[in-house]
Amino acid sequence: MSTMESVIWHVLGYSAMPVIILGGFAVVAALCVWILSLWKDKEV
């Protein structure tokens, strides 16, 4: 494996976990906001 490939795989490896955690947080937050918007009082 060349040095360039090694660098690319290291960057992908170290960036995967934060992207997964932050992406999951964003999806859960958006889902919660959507569910709460369904339950809000529509007469106000």
Side-chain angles (χ1 to χ4, degrees):
M1 182 167 12
S2 69
T3 304
M4 186 63 156
E5 286 176 316
S6 180
V7 168
I8 290 171
W9 282 114
H10 276 91
V11 168
L12 288 175
Y14 286 120
S15 63
M17 190 59 75
V19 167
I20 291 168
I21 291 171
L22 293 175
F25 175 78
V27 168
V28 170
L31 188 63
C32 290
V33 168
W34 177 69
I35 289 172
L36 287 173
S37 72
L38 292 177
W39 290 349
K40 73 176 185 178
D41 189 7
K42 299 197 173 24
E43 294 181 4
V44 173

